[in-house]
Amino acid sequence: VRVQLASDPHPFNSEKLRAVLSYRNCIGAVAVNGDMVVGYTVYELHANQIVCRKLAVHPAYRRSGVGSKLMAKLKGKLSRQRRMQLILDARESQTGGHLFLKANGLRATEVLHGCFTDSREDGYRFVWKLADSPVENTEFLATVDNLTSGWA
């Protein structure tokens, strides 16, 4: 929760986070440094896609690869046989997040007017499709394993 409070002007409170993670198709993953959680993601598994609901990195650990490793973990869960795309909706005001997503290969594909109910803020839908990957999935997964060793 500390990472979320330091990273997100609209964080889940503990109750909301527990409720979201109790959904059958919802999973959370964390990045740790020693005993400290330095980043996390909450995502939903759907029949043909993964929807990332939250991804945050503690400000002191940004630009150190933590967020990219979390993204690589999510991309590594995709497969040509089932879930072929990763979707993340970002607030219009999160321009740093837009740059991060673009640097990680996601493309803004849609403007979402008033989609954030807590503020009626517009957003952008970012998508990464496995078909857009320049490498075969088995090579990509091997790369993800190398990138994420030591991450929870």
Side-chain angles (χ1 to χ4, degrees):
V1 173
R2 262 183 273 156
V3 171
Q4 190 176 188
L5 293 173
S7 301
D8 191 348
H10 304 279
F12 287 160
N13 61 33
S14 296
E15 185 177 303
K16 168 90 174 183
L17 185 58
R18 271 194 292 276
V20 168
L21 289 173
S22 72
Y23 300 153
R24 194 174 64 169
N25 67 331
C26 196
I27 299 170
V30 299
V32 296
N33 183 15
D35 292 337
M36 184 176 169
V37 174
V38 297
Y40 77 97
T41 183
V42 175
Y43 59 96
E44 296 174 2
L45 300 174
H46 294 275
N48 60 355
Q49 64 194 13
I50 294 175
V51 177
C52 181
R53 293 291 172 208
K54 289 278 185 182
L55 188 142
V57 175
H58 190 282
Y61 290 86
R62 291 187 185 149
R63 300 194 191 317
S64 67
V66 173
S68 293
K69 288 179 182 180
L70 288 168
M71 288 298 297
K73 275 261 199 213
L74 292 173
K75 290 176 183 177
K77 296 190 176 300
L78 300 174
S79 76
R80 295 196 192 285
Q81 293 75 34
R82 187 143 190 204
R83 296 178 186 99
M84 294 186 60
Q85 67 179 0
L86 171 63
I87 296 173
L88 190 147
D89 297 340
R91 293 174 185 273
E92 184 177 31
S93 61
Q94 292 177 319
T95 53
H98 301 171
L99 296 172
F100 165 77
L101 295 170
K102 183 178 177 185
N104 278 276
L106 282 80
R107 290 188 225 171
T109 60
E110 187 178 350
V111 176
L112 307 169
H113 297 288
C115 73
F116 291 95
T117 57
D118 58 355
S119 64
R120 303 300 305 154
E121 185 175 359
D122 292 343
Y124 297 99
R125 173 151 295 162
F126 284 83
V127 177
W128 189 83
K129 294 183 180 182
L130 188 58
D132 294 342
S133 174
V135 295
E136 287 299 313
N137 196 26
T138 54
E139 293 173 28
F140 181 76
L141 289 175
T143 303
V144 169
D145 287 340
N146 291 337
L147 282 174
T148 58
S149 60
W151 294 84

